[in-house]
Amino acid sequence: MLAVLVSLPIVAFPLALAYLVWRRVSVLGRVSRRLTLLMVVLSALSCAAAAYFERLVLAWTGLSIEVSKTGAGGALLAMFGLVAPLEEALKVLVVWPLYRSRRIDGVRLGLCYAAAAGGGFAATRTALALFAAHGAWAVVGRCLLAAPAQLFFAGVWGYALGSRAHRARWFSLAWFGSTLAHGLYQHIVWGRGAGLLLMLLPLCAFMAFGAWVALRDVAPEPDRFSLLPEPPSLQKMREALRPADQRLMVRWIAIGAFVTLGLILLLVSLTVVLGNRVGIDFSLADESDMRASAPLILLGLAVLLAFPLAGYLIARASSAHSVLEPALSSGLALSALIAILLTTAPIGVLFALAIAPLAFGLACGGAWIGIER
């Protein structure tokens, strides 16, 4: 009985998030409660069907999404070959009839109904995970981390589905990108040890900021907390990424990538030296033990700090009028970092991919401060 009482609020957590999205989107006009609830119910049922089908396929192939059972290669194959595309496709299948019947006439409704589908899917996934683990606290933490991602990544392709401009192209790209990013997120949540869950903090920060910006964009209203700065609109972000009456400065993209990599090496080296002086042993980092992950946090902060600094320096040095060059240079630096880690420390690739969205955003933020206006 105690396990049931503890599990109920955890299962209700994603539904509460979906309700908050519905309430916010309803600011600019009524959104059908009936259709929103229908998305939740149908998506919850599709999750149960997906879980049953995944269990059959994984048992037949001998694969598992957990690295401890089938190794990293088998876990990645199970996640990206079956689980991630199947689950994201089923959520689209739930929302698609509304799009075909013209019930989705803009990004506001696309985001709302997709988030509702994500909430229903996450609630069922949470209930199944808690039931299988008999309410183990480690699984409770993983469920709480996994739930917001179901809504966020569904909202990404839902936003694209409601967009009138280049809908077909953007929806395909948004769905594919959401599937890859959500698959990586789920691989860390469900497939890796507890020590690597801290890798999700940059992705969580990116999702929180992205959700804030998207909701302000589709349903603007006066901010109740005047101390919080107003986030930039998506339109302003798109304009900042376009060259402003000037040709693309390719040389500064290459220079910026070298500057970013140099700052990463410098800051990581300083972190290791200072950490050793205060008694931090970086060799103690352990995937299976969250208590031994303090070195990973310090190294992650050092790497992330390099991106806004590099973005600012490149923007100032190049006299840029847009953040496009610093943004492209940060992407090139991330690609080079991933290529290096593939040959030296494959586990570091997960770390690089996990921080990539936030690192890219920080680079653009630093460049935004440094560009000439």
Side-chain angles (χ1 to χ4, degrees):
M1 179 61 71
L2 179 61
V4 173
L5 293 177
V6 172
S7 300
L8 284 178
I10 301 169
V11 173
F13 173 60
L15 299 177
L17 293 178
Y19 173 74
L20 292 176
V21 172
W22 175 81
R23 280 289 301 272
R24 180 55 188 266
V25 170
S26 298
V27 168
L28 294 183
R30 293 183 61 84
V31 179
S32 173
R33 292 185 181 182
R34 179 178 60 84
L35 290 179
T36 304
L37 183 59
L38 181 63
M39 294 298 99
V40 172
V41 173
L42 291 179
S43 187
L45 294 175
S46 70
C47 179
Y52 179 73
F53 180 74
E54 289 166 8
R55 185 172 60 182
L56 290 179
V57 173
L58 294 179
W60 179 63
T61 58
L63 295 175
S64 173
I65 62 173
E66 298 180 32
V67 173
S68 59
K69 294 181 178 179
T70 59
L76 289 171
L77 179 60
M79 178 58 68
F80 290 100
L82 174 65
V83 177
L86 174 64
E87 294 185 356
E88 219 60 48
L90 286 175
K91 282 180 278 187
V92 173
L93 186 63
V94 169
V95 179
W96 195 257
L98 297 185
Y99 166 70
R100 294 294 298 172
S101 60
R102 302 182 184 275
R103 297 294 184 96
I104 297 178
D105 59 356
V107 295
R108 187 171 66 96
L109 294 182
L111 188 152
C112 179
Y113 291 136
F121 206 98
T124 301
R125 177 63 71 189
T126 299
L128 293 174
L130 291 175
F131 177 79
H134 305 289
W137 287 110
V139 176
V140 169
R142 293 178 189 270
C143 290
L144 292 176
L145 281 172
Q150 293 280 2
L151 280 79
F152 177 82
F153 291 111
V156 170
W157 55 254
Y159 186 98
L161 188 64
S163 175
R164 294 185 177 88
H166 309 291
R167 178 178 294 162
R169 180 180 65 183
W170 288 120
F171 170 72
S172 300
L173 290 175
W175 183 87
F176 185 71
S178 296
T179 300
L180 290 180
H182 195 193
L184 170 66
Y185 192 95
Q186 290 197 90
H187 173 70
I188 298 175
V189 171
W190 300 112
R192 292 284 177 169
L196 292 188
L197 292 179
L198 293 172
M199 283 188 181
L200 298 177
L201 293 179
L203 275 173
C204 290
F206 173 78
M207 289 192 300
F209 180 76
W212 184 31
V213 171
L215 289 174
R216 288 293 298 263
D217 191 65
V218 302
E221 68 173 0
D223 200 334
R224 298 176 182 176
F225 303 97
S226 58
L227 295 179
L228 292 176
E230 182 178 353
S233 66
L234 294 177
Q235 179 63 31
K236 288 183 179 179
M237 289 184 178
R238 286 191 290 266
E239 291 174 355
L241 285 170
R242 295 172 184 164
D245 299 327
Q246 63 177 5
R247 301 176 67 179
L248 187 65
M249 297 180 287
V250 179
R251 67 180 184 279
W252 282 107
I253 297 174
I255 293 172
F258 282 109
V259 169
T260 304
L261 289 173
L263 282 172
I264 291 174
L265 292 175
L266 174 63
L267 292 174
V268 168
S269 300
L270 288 175
T271 300
V272 173
V273 171
L274 294 176
N276 287 331
R277 287 192 175 184
V278 298
I280 297 177
D281 188 353
F282 288 88
S283 64
L284 295 178
D286 186 3
E287 177 179 342
S288 62
D289 188 1
M290 185 174 292
R291 293 171 298 179
S293 297
L296 289 177
I297 297 176
L298 293 177
L299 292 175
L301 291 175
V303 173
L304 286 174
L305 182 60
F307 285 88
L309 290 177
Y312 175 81
L313 292 174
I314 294 303
R316 296 297 296 176
S318 64
S319 300
H321 294 273
S322 75
V323 303
L324 183 60
E325 286 83 4
L328 292 175
S329 67
S330 67
L332 185 60
L334 282 168
S335 300
L337 181 61
I338 291 172
I340 294 171
L341 291 173
L342 275 173
T343 58
T344 58
I347 186 63
V349 175
L350 276 180
F351 171 76
L353 291 174
I355 69 167
L358 184 59
F360 183 80
L362 290 173
C364 292
W368 176 258
I369 298 173
I371 61 175
E372 293 188 354
R373 297 180 174 84

